[in-house]
Amino acid sequence: EKVAKMLELKKKLGEEQKPGKFVIKCPKGTRDYGPKEMAVREAVFGTIIESFKRHGAETIDTPVFELRDVLLSKYGEEGGKLVYNLEDQGGELLSMRYDLTVPFARYLAMNKISNIKRYHIAKVYRRDQPVMTRGRYREFYQCDFDIAGEYEKMLPEAECLKIVDEVLNKLDVGNFYIKVNHRVILDAMMSVSGVPKQQFKTVCSSIDKLDKEPWEKVEKELIDEKGLTKEVTQQLRRFVLFREEATDLDDIQTLDKMMEIEALRTNADFKKGTEELKVLFNFLSLYGVTSARFEPSLARGLDYYTGVIYEAVVEPSEEVRKTIAEGAAKENQDSGEASIEGQGLPTGVGSVAAGGRYDELVKGFSGKKDSVPCCGVSFGIERLFAIREAQLKCKDVPMRTVATEVYVASAQKNLLEERMKLCRSLWDSGVRTEMAYKRNPKLLDQIQNCEAKQIPLMLIVGERELQEGVVKLRYIKTREEQDIPLATLVESIREALLKA
Amino acid sequence: EKVAKMLELKKKLGEEQKPGKFVIKCPKGTRDYGPKEMAVREAVFGTIIESFKRHGAETIDTPVFELRDVLLSKYGEEGGKLVYNLEDQGGELLSMRYDLTVPFARYLAMNKISNIKRYHIAKVYRRDQPVMTRGRYREFYQCDFDIAGEYEKMLPEAECLKIVDEVLNKLDVGNFYIKVNHRVILDAMMSVSGVPKQQFKTVCSSIDKLDKEPWEKVEKELIDEKGLTKEVTQQLRRFVLFREEATDLDDIQTLDKMMEIEALRTNADFKKGTEELKVLFNFLSLYGVTSARFEPSLARGLDYYTGVIYEAVVEPSEEVRKTIAEGAAKENQDSGEASIEGQGLPTGVGSVAAGGRYDELVKGFSGKKDSVPCCGVSFGIERLFAIREAQLKCKDVPMRTVATEVYVASAQKNLLEERMKLCRSLWDSGVRTEMAYKRNPKLLDQIQNCEAKQIPLMLIVGERELQEGVVKLRYIKTREEQDIPLATLVESIREALLKA
């Protein structure tokens, strides 16, 4: 028995390196971003960051790993299972962050900050089963915007939803809407339906599948796996599918209509949640947000939400969906990840942003006294990338991956030093300039390079021109050429850039 | 004995969580960036990225961890000891990257890319003894620029050094110079001095200390610890301190003068290295780089360099150095890291950028056939941050941490909805706008908030004004106020922003 235990321990250690050749690949569930992907990524980040700044957010950054105790105390059982641990190499026990919210709460508690509006864009890590076709990776970016502080009810929530609405409109990713629900409304529906309190969480995670699966399948799971009775699921059904039964009502009318149900009306939780949501929807109309929609079946997984919760869902065009699925299938194949689930699966509706109110998270760190109410939203950026990449592929838009404005070329041999001097003048004046790294590059190669990289201008050095104190300027698009005096090189280039 | 082994294994596992309370802090050797630090960081990144783009670089990104085999095959013994391993939780064995160069080489080999000019800005991880006063962290940013491809000799090297020169000038971090040496010149000096081949590396790492320690101390280490004879160290001394003995010679003259030494002249390595450096210094003068300097004692640690190597060194002003040391000492104290070495040490000369040519690194991944010659530079960004932060502190420059242009305020009660409508108009027109999240904020609080955040404009909503179809615009700096018509709100704000 001792030996068996030893072997098990040894297996757990797994420190021995396997000898011999190894495969050159990225770790499972991760990927490289090449220049083209980076160009898309930076454009998407740019749009999101501009929206965060437009709403007055500051930015912070925290380490990629945290003390293990800090993380595990907050992610609960579900999250905890997916956390990457660092090996114990002596010293503190560390784990990699699973989201940016717990590190944010730790930052607030540690620095005793009671109000801040901040964004944080960084990678997070989940040892999940990767599904590339759905943009689900083990390493992925989150773009978080959060408002911490004791404020007028629903104002921070309204601003978070305004930002989601702005970003998804600006990114032009297709039809989208934002499902909105309230933690205490969920609790009320459970309680009124007769779900035992300790079952709320697990029932919620079944309910949450209603956007992908029909009620019958979810109900079967609730009865067979979660042990609910048919009576209870029938009650639940009435609430969570309320909007499907009354499609002509708007959000406030729906809430009012639900209020007519005796059991809900007399439930304090339901009353509180409904009142808050009504304030929220009023604020949203002042902010011009028409994409939000009360959805009683929305149930977000994480433990720490205490108030309004929301999730934005995008429905890309059929063409875009197909392109994503093809690209991801190819990627899986290339990386030899045959085992990855969901290969070739059609990419359907996907959540691209989600969040809510979490008033107790910071308190858990800093002790009972100070509670810092928080509310935020996190963009699931990998899906937005995937949609943008597919859109560009469909439209066949050529991506620029360099910012070069001028390419310094030569038509004859032995002009390396002259090209270098020109580059220097332009660099020193702040003009983005490149040249070939060969001593005697061919003119055709240099022109082709400019065309491939979409560099707008080319300077062609020649001996005749140098003697005359000029250099030839070529507009790559129009192939127009003109001589410009070396004496006013930078000014001429600046003018030409405006025209090119 | 079995039990002892078991205990040891168990200790290695170290998976058991200690129960009870835990301390809220960042992991040892890491730190948070608050809004002020982020503002400095983004400014420094901006300068560096602009320089990379000015030279036509694309950008890529790779995962924060790699297959352990990929990393350990390249970092050698020294680097390998400092690598963070991830716990074996089933599946692949992973480790966190130690630099961005090995992941870059893996990326090239995996994608069969034979030429690219790219930059990569990301965090790397080293389980080193942290010394905050010297800007040495366990998690820190590297900003890498590399040129891969078979090109005209010394052209990529010259451009890398041009970039270092540009960035350090632009950042205005104080006096700096760039030490330049050549891997084969080092080899030649060792060989000619009679250092046994297998000792080259360890002797190099002693030599490398000459920027911090006097020759006598280094010589003692070479004799006592590395086992060299006095004859050998005397020979070495003559070479590595060559410039100290002939301070009136420029770089090319120094190389020529060393060539006069019979033993070096007849050494093929030395001849090759010297010829290359002479080409390089000629190119550097064409590029207007005057900060580079041949330094025969420069010996970079990592195994993979094959050609020219360089390291930029900054000498911040006394005032800046003191400020850094004080700040770091305070930080150590705050974080309870009493054990950190070097606490309160004066921050001296520091390396802020380094790199060189590594022609064999990619070949090691992709097999014997394809060699991808590479050359690059990496900025040690944490030290640059520390210097910039200290400079700003010394000059008492207030940092802006938000980009807000307009603050929407109210002078009376019950104007929340009016403020929200104004915010909406401005947001929808792309104006960066904020307002208080309270229902009835005090005017004085709102004005103070604008001043603290350096928001240039304030709109003050009042009942009288609303009735007249106007809103009051206040310039925060001059306290000037004027009424502007709501009908032309956005246009008026745009004009005011140009003036503010």
Side-chain angles (χ1 to χ4, degrees):
Chain A
E1 196 226 18
K2 241 184 189 168
V3 175
K5 215 170 168 186
M6 274 278 294
L7 282 172
E8 197 201 345
L9 277 168
K10 216 168 174 181
K11 199 176 136 211
K12 271 198 197 162
L13 269 173
E15 272 170 355
E16 297 78 12
Q17 249 182 269
K18 276 130 220 146
K21 259 299 201 195
F22 50 88
V23 191
I24 301 296
K25 64 186 275 296
C26 290
K28 182 172 175 180
T30 69
R31 64 158 167 171
D32 293 323
Y33 282 83
K36 280 188 184 166
E37 292 85 45
M38 285 300 280
V40 177
R41 180 171 122 177
E42 299 209 326
V44 172
F45 278 159
T47 301
I48 293 175
I49 291 172
E50 178 48 37
S51 185
F52 291 166
K53 285 191 174 168
R54 196 182 306 125
H55 289 264
E58 308 179 288
T59 185
I60 69 161
D61 193 22
T62 65
V64 80
F65 41 61
E66 296 270 350
L67 297 184
R68 193 170 301 166
D69 288 343
V70 165
L71 294 188
L72 294 189
S73 68
K74 293 299 165 191
Y75 287 135
E77 208 184 322
E78 194 140 339
K81 271 188 291 188
L82 302 180
V83 165
Y84 276 99
N85 292 328
L86 268 72
E87 196 177 281
D88 183 6
Q89 295 171 280
E92 300 161 340
L93 288 183
L94 306 175
S95 297
M96 298 184 73
R97 61 184 168 211
Y98 172 93
D99 65 11
L100 301 176
T101 309
V102 171
F104 176 52
R106 192 266 305 149
Y107 173 80
L108 295 183
M110 187 172 130
N111 296 289
K112 300 183 181 63
I113 294 167
S114 58
N115 62 75
I116 188 173
K117 177 160 57 176
R118 80 87 182 83
Y119 69 90
H120 187 185
I121 297 186
K123 288 172 171 178
V124 302
Y125 298 87
R126 297 186 187 179
R127 267 173 43 79
D128 214 338
Q129 193 58 35
V131 188
M132 311 298 212
T133 46
R134 291 181 176 275
R136 198 207 283 165
Y137 291 88
R138 290 183 160 192
E139 173 185 63
F140 58 98
Y141 267 97
Q142 281 193 338
C143 297
D144 281 23
F145 171 92
D146 293 83
I147 300 171
E150 190 83 55
Y151 295 126
E152 176 69 15
K153 247 191 182 102
M154 297 300 123
L155 259 189
E157 283 87 342
E159 191 157 358
C160 288
L161 292 173
K162 173 71 177 166
I163 286 175
V164 174
D165 189 70
E166 273 180 13
V167 167
L168 296 182
N169 272 314
K170 282 259 156 65
L171 288 179
D172 189 23
V173 286
N175 294 331
F176 70 93
Y177 66 102
I178 313 171
K179 301 190 239 177
V180 178
N181 200 1
H182 198 299
R183 180 66 180 260
V184 300
I185 288 184
L186 269 175
D187 286 350
M189 294 187 307
M190 301 278 167
S191 154
V192 165
S193 304
V195 177
K197 183 128 197 157
Q198 66 277 18
Q199 295 264 84
F200 279 13
K201 230 201 123 202
T202 180
V203 169
C204 271
S205 70
S206 301
I207 296 290
D208 205 35
K209 294 178 186 164
L210 278 173
D211 57 352
K212 298 181 206 89
E213 291 169 4
W215 167 258
E216 289 67 33
K217 204 169 162 199
V218 169
E219 185 176 42
K220 194 169 181 306
E221 179 176 315
L222 287 174
I223 293 173
D224 294 355
E225 292 173 33
K226 313 280 160 97
L228 298 192
T229 64
K230 184 81 183 178
E231 288 69 45
V232 172
T233 62
Q234 282 303 310
Q235 277 291 342
L236 264 180
R237 181 182 188 287
R238 190 179 166 204
F239 299 143
V240 297
L241 296 186
F242 198 87
R243 297 216 70 161
E244 275 70 18
E245 311 286 314
T247 47
D248 54 329
L249 303 181
D250 70 17
D251 297 299
I252 298 208
Q253 287 168 335
T254 306
L255 288 161
D256 284 339
K257 189 87 186 165
M258 286 181 88
M259 258 311 193
E260 290 174 11
I261 302 173
E262 169 77 20
L264 292 179
R265 188 171 56 244
T266 54
N267 181 291
D269 272 347
F270 189 79
K271 201 158 167 262
K272 176 175 179 264
T274 302
E275 276 164 11
E276 290 193 356
L277 284 188
K278 283 165 83 170
V279 172
L280 176 61
F281 280 104
N282 178 38
F283 282 173
L284 288 177
S285 75
L286 287 170
Y287 278 166
V289 176
T290 55
S291 57
R293 177 190 155 90
F294 168 56
E295 179 47 69
S297 72
L298 174 70
R300 310 247 321 115
L302 279 165
D303 277 340
Y304 49 61
Y305 292 110
T306 55
V308 173
I309 53 178
Y310 31 80
E311 184 173 295
V313 163
V314 168
E315 290 163 339
S317 70
E318 190 54 44
E319 189 188 25
V320 165
R321 275 188 236 184
K322 247 183 77 182
T323 311
I324 296 175
E326 284 165 8
K330 192 178 169 300
E331 200 175 309
N332 288 350
Q333 216 172 7
D334 288 353
S335 66
E337 300 267 353
S339 68
I340 285 177
E341 237 183 60
Q343 196 168 334
L345 264 185
T347 307
V349 172
S351 152
V352 293
R357 173 159 293 283
Y358 50 100
D359 283 348
E360 307 294 325
L361 195 60
V362 179
K363 196 157 127 185
F365 280 128
S366 58
K368 280 269 163 188
K369 266 189 300 179
D370 337 299
S371 146
V372 182
C374 296
C375 169
V377 63
S378 177
F379 286 89
I381 202 75
E382 309 294 335
R383 279 190 187 171
L384 292 173
F385 292 154
I387 296 171
R388 287 298 290 163
E389 273 179 11
Q391 278 178 336
L392 293 170
K393 217 185 259 177
C394 292
K395 288 186 200 152
D396 205 20
V397 178
M399 287 299 301
R400 275 207 81 180
T401 61
V402 295
T404 312
E405 296 164 320
V406 179
Y407 193 91
V408 175
S410 57
Q412 295 137 319
K413 290 193 171 181
N414 299 322
L415 290 166
L416 174 61
E417 299 205 347
E418 299 305 329
R419 282 190 287 137
M420 291 177 76
K421 282 186 211 162
L422 278 180
C423 281
R424 182 207 165 169
S425 309
L426 293 170
W427 285 331
D428 289 355
S429 308
V431 180
R432 294 163 170 179
T433 309
E434 272 192 90
M435 65 167 203
Y437 289 125
K438 290 191 193 298
R439 183 166 285 275
N440 295 309
K442 288 184 188 130
L443 186 60
L444 192 63
D445 289 349
Q446 297 174 87
I447 291 175
Q448 280 172 348
N449 192 17
C450 282
E451 285 171 351
K453 290 183 173 172
Q454 300 174 65
I455 299 170
L457 297 180
M458 190 175 210
L459 279 179
I460 307 173
V461 194
E463 267 173 41
R464 178 203 47 93
E465 287 87 352
L466 283 177
Q467 273 159 15
E468 294 171 14
V470 297
V471 64
K472 200 183 277 171
L473 173 69
R474 180 185 170 107
Y475 292 81
I476 292 297
K477 242 187 219 159
T478 61
R479 300 183 183 181
E480 203 186 314
E481 292 187 350
Q482 71 185 84
D483 280 353
I484 55 172
L486 283 170
T488 58
L489 176 70
V490 176
E491 293 76 5
S492 306
I493 291 286
R494 291 242 162 84
E495 265 172 52
L497 280 171
L498 295 176
K499 283 194 284 173
Chain B
E1 198 226 16
K2 240 182 190 170
V3 175
K5 215 170 170 183
M6 274 278 294
L7 281 173
E8 197 201 346
L9 277 169
K10 217 167 175 183
K11 199 176 135 210
K12 273 197 196 163
L13 271 174
E15 272 169 355
E16 297 79 10
Q17 248 182 270
K18 275 131 222 146
K21 260 294 198 197
F22 50 87
V23 191
I24 300 297
K25 63 185 276 295
C26 291
K28 182 173 175 179
T30 69
R31 63 159 169 171
D32 293 324
Y33 283 82
K36 281 190 183 164
E37 291 86 46
M38 285 299 279
V40 177
R41 181 171 122 177
E42 298 209 325
V44 173
F45 278 161
T47 300
I48 292 176
I49 290 172
E50 178 49 36
S51 185
F52 291 166
K53 286 191 174 167
R54 195 182 306 126
H55 290 263
E58 308 178 287
T59 185
I60 70 162
D61 194 22
T62 64
V64 81
F65 41 61
E66 296 271 350
L67 297 184
R68 193 170 302 166
D69 288 343
V70 165
L71 294 188
L72 293 189
S73 69
K74 293 299 165 192
Y75 287 135
E77 207 185 321
E78 194 141 337
K81 270 188 292 188
L82 303 181
V83 165
Y84 276 99
N85 292 327
L86 268 72
E87 196 176 281
D88 182 7
Q89 293 171 284
E92 300 161 341
L93 289 183
L94 306 175
S95 296
M96 299 185 73
R97 63 185 168 210
Y98 174 92
D99 65 12
L100 302 176
T101 308
V102 170
F104 176 52
R106 192 266 306 147
Y107 173 79
L108 295 182
M110 186 172 131
N111 296 290
K112 300 183 183 61
I113 294 167
S114 59
N115 61 75
I116 189 173
K117 177 160 59 179
R118 82 86 182 82
Y119 69 90
H120 188 183
I121 297 185
K123 288 172 172 178
V124 301
Y125 298 86
R126 299 187 185 177
R127 267 174 41 80
D128 214 337
Q129 192 56 34
V131 188
M132 313 296 212
T133 45
R134 291 183 176 274
R136 200 207 283 164
Y137 289 90
R138 289 182 162 194
E139 173 186 63
F140 58 99
Y141 267 99
Q142 282 194 337
C143 297
D144 280 23
F145 171 94
D146 292 84
I147 300 172
E150 190 81 56
Y151 294 127
E152 176 69 15
K153 247 190 183 102
M154 298 300 120
L155 259 188
E157 283 86 341
E159 192 156 356
C160 287
L161 292 173
K162 174 71 177 166
I163 286 174
V164 174
D165 188 69
E166 272 179 15
V167 167
L168 296 182
N169 271 313
K170 282 259 156 63
L171 287 179
D172 189 23
V173 286
N175 294 331
F176 71 92
Y177 67 101
I178 313 171
K179 300 191 238 177
V180 179
N181 200 2
H182 196 300
R183 179 65 179 259
V184 300
I185 288 183
L186 269 175
D187 286 350
M189 293 188 307
M190 301 279 167
S191 155
V192 165
S193 304
V195 177
K197 185 129 195 157
Q198 66 277 17
Q199 294 265 83
F200 280 12
K201 230 201 122 201
T202 179
V203 170
C204 271
S205 72
S206 301
I207 297 289
D208 206 34
K209 294 178 188 163
L210 278 173
D211 58 351
K212 298 181 208 89
E213 290 168 5
W215 168 256
E216 291 65 34
K217 205 169 163 200
V218 170
E219 185 175 43
K220 193 167 182 309
E221 181 176 314
L222 287 174
I223 294 173
D224 294 354
E225 292 173 33
K226 313 280 159 99
L228 299 191
T229 64
K230 183 80 182 179
E231 288 69 46
V232 172
T233 61
Q234 281 305 311
Q235 276 291 342
L236 265 180
R237 182 182 188 287
R238 190 178 165 204
F239 301 143
V240 297
L241 296 186
F242 199 87
R243 296 215 72 160
E244 275 70 16
E245 309 287 313
T247 47
D248 53 330
L249 303 181
D250 70 17
D251 298 299
I252 297 205
Q253 288 167 335
T254 306
L255 288 161
D256 285 338
K257 189 88 187 166
M258 287 180 88
M259 257 311 192
E260 290 173 12
I261 300 173
E262 171 76 21
L264 293 179
R265 188 170 59 240
T266 53
N267 181 292
D269 272 349
F270 189 80
K271 199 156 169 266
K272 175 174 179 269
T274 302
E275 276 164 11
E276 290 193 358
L277 283 189
K278 282 165 84 169
V279 172
L280 176 61
F281 279 104
N282 178 38
F283 282 174
L284 289 176
S285 74
L286 287 170
Y287 278 166
V289 176
T290 55
S291 57
R293 177 191 156 89
F294 168 56
E295 178 48 69
S297 71
L298 174 69
R300 310 251 317 118
L302 279 166
D303 276 340
Y304 48 61
Y305 291 110
T306 55
V308 174
I309 52 178
Y310 30 80
E311 185 173 295
V313 163
V314 169
E315 289 162 342
S317 69
E318 191 54 43
E319 189 187 25
V320 166
R321 277 188 235 184
K322 248 183 78 183
T323 310
I324 295 175
E326 282 165 10
K330 191 179 169 303
E331 202 175 307
N332 288 350
Q333 216 171 7
D334 287 352
S335 65
E337 300 266 355
S339 68
I340 285 177
E341 238 185 60
Q343 195 169 334
L345 263 185
T347 307
V349 172
S351 152
V352 292
R357 173 160 291 284
Y358 50 100
D359 283 348
E360 308 295 324
L361 195 60
V362 179
K363 196 156 126 184
F365 280 128
S366 58
K368 278 269 161 187
K369 264 190 299 180
D370 338 298
S371 145
V372 181
C374 296
C375 168
V377 63
S378 177
F379 285 89
I381 201 74
E382 308 295 334
R383 279 192 189 170
L384 292 173
F385 292 153
I387 296 171
R388 287 297 289 162
E389 274 178 11
Q391 279 178 334
L392 294 169
K393 216 184 260 177
C394 292
K395 287 187 201 153
D396 205 19
V397 179
M399 287 299 301
R400 276 207 80 179
T401 60
V402 296
T404 312
E405 297 164 321
V406 179
Y407 194 90
V408 175
S410 58
Q412 295 137 317
K413 288 194 172 183
N414 300 320
L415 290 166
L416 174 62
E417 298 205 348
E418 299 304 330
R419 282 191 288 137
M420 291 178 76
K421 283 186 211 161
L422 278 181
C423 282
R424 182 211 165 166
S425 309
L426 293 171
W427 286 331
D428 289 355
S429 310
V431 180
R432 295 162 170 180
T433 309
E434 273 191 89
M435 66 168 204
Y437 290 124
K438 291 192 193 295
R439 182 166 286 275
N440 295 309
K442 288 186 189 127
L443 186 60
L444 192 62
D445 289 349
Q446 297 174 87
I447 292 176
Q448 280 172 348
N449 193 16
C450 282
E451 285 171 351
K453 290 185 174 172
Q454 300 174 64
I455 299 170
L457 298 179
M458 191 175 210
L459 278 180
I460 307 172
V461 195
E463 267 172 41
R464 176 201 51 91
E465 287 87 350
L466 283 176
Q467 274 159 13
E468 295 171 14
V470 297
V471 63
K472 198 182 278 172
L473 173 69
R474 180 185 170 108
Y475 292 81
I476 292 297
K477 241 186 219 159
T478 61
R479 299 179 184 185
E480 203 185 314
E481 291 187 349
Q482 71 185 86
D483 280 354
I484 56 172
L486 282 171
T488 58
L489 175 70
V490 176
E491 293 76 5
S492 306
I493 291 286
R494 291 242 162 84
E495 264 171 52
L497 280 172
L498 295 176
K499 282 195 284 173

